[in-house]
Amino acid sequence: MPGVIAVVGHHDLTAPTPALLEEELRSRPAGRARAGRAGLVRAGQGLPVACGRAARAAGPALVTVLPARRGLPAHVAEPDRKTAGELLLSQTVRLVEYDPADRASCITADESLVRSCGRLPAVWDGSPSNGRDATAHLVAYARSHGVDVEVVGPCGAEHRGGPPATAPARPATARGTAKSPKSGTFTEKRIPT
């Protein structure tokens, strides 16, 4: 659907990063609100709630995706319950069959969201997908399905990924032009385990 904007990105954001993303995203959808666009987020903490708050502040409709089993709402994991509750204040809730505890199931759900959108802001540092993070896969998936991808990364944004990636130059959008975040780059922060 060309009027829907889905957002994907790293799920292991450091504490200050969601606020930075919210501020960055707040300015981006403002012009799209007049065009009747809607924001689409999968319920959870971090990136989804930052996107939901930005969408509400800028005016476009917000669609919150909840996990479902056999057509009924499914259990939302403890860390995501509070933010899922905040996101349920959105105008629309969409149930999608997936298990939030199963990585493959979440990726399949995210792929279905990507296929249903016309534009995909991606909070991504350019690193490849790994056993925990599928952001690079979702960006490639979107591009292969003709979805316009815009990489978002405000200055100071960090995530707790593994070893720092030697990120290539900013990835190109689906139209082939290089897009770099206006306000800075997204960095990876090593957190000792």
Side-chain angles (χ1 to χ4, degrees):
M1 293 187 283
V4 175
I5 303 166
V7 181
V8 300
H10 299 295
H11 295 283
D12 59 349
L13 303 174
T14 59
T17 298
L20 295 170
L21 287 171
E22 181 181 342
E23 185 178 325
E24 173 81 12
L25 292 170
R26 236 178 239 243
S27 63
R28 291 174 184 251
R32 297 175 187 130
R34 291 184 295 276
R37 299 232 174 183
L40 179 65
V41 295
R42 189 161 52 90
Q45 60 183 337
L47 175 62
V49 79
C51 295
R53 288 173 180 167
R56 276 196 300 277
L62 178 65
V63 178
T64 301
V65 175
L66 286 178
R69 292 216 178 106
R70 294 181 209 95
L72 298 173
H75 175 74
V76 176
E78 183 60 43
D80 294 331
R81 273 193 205 144
K82 183 177 181 181
T83 54
E86 179 181 338
L87 289 167
L88 288 176
L89 298 173
S90 65
Q91 297 165 336
T92 306
V93 174
R94 180 173 162 190
L95 295 177
V96 173
E97 294 282 332
Y98 74 96
D99 178 357
D102 179 353
R103 180 178 184 269
S105 180
C106 290
I107 292 171
T108 300
D110 286 340
E111 289 172 347
S112 76
L113 301 182
V114 166
R115 284 192 310 271
S116 72
C117 75
R119 183 163 188 74
L120 184 78
V123 178
W124 181 45
D125 65 359
S127 61
S129 291
N130 59 33
R132 296 179 319 266
D133 188 304
T135 306
H137 165 76
L138 293 169
V139 167
Y141 186 85
R143 290 178 177 152
S144 73
H145 284 80
V147 175
D148 190 19
V149 175
E150 178 183 8
V151 175
V152 178
C155 188
E158 297 178 324
H159 74 105
R160 296 179 195 91
T166 4
R170 258 315 148 187
T173 64
R175 291 197 173 38
T177 56
K179 286 256 183 166
S180 180
K182 292 178 186 173
S183 56
T185 58
F186 197 98
T187 60
E188 184 171 51
K189 181 177 185 178
R190 287 189 61 114
I191 304 293
T193 54

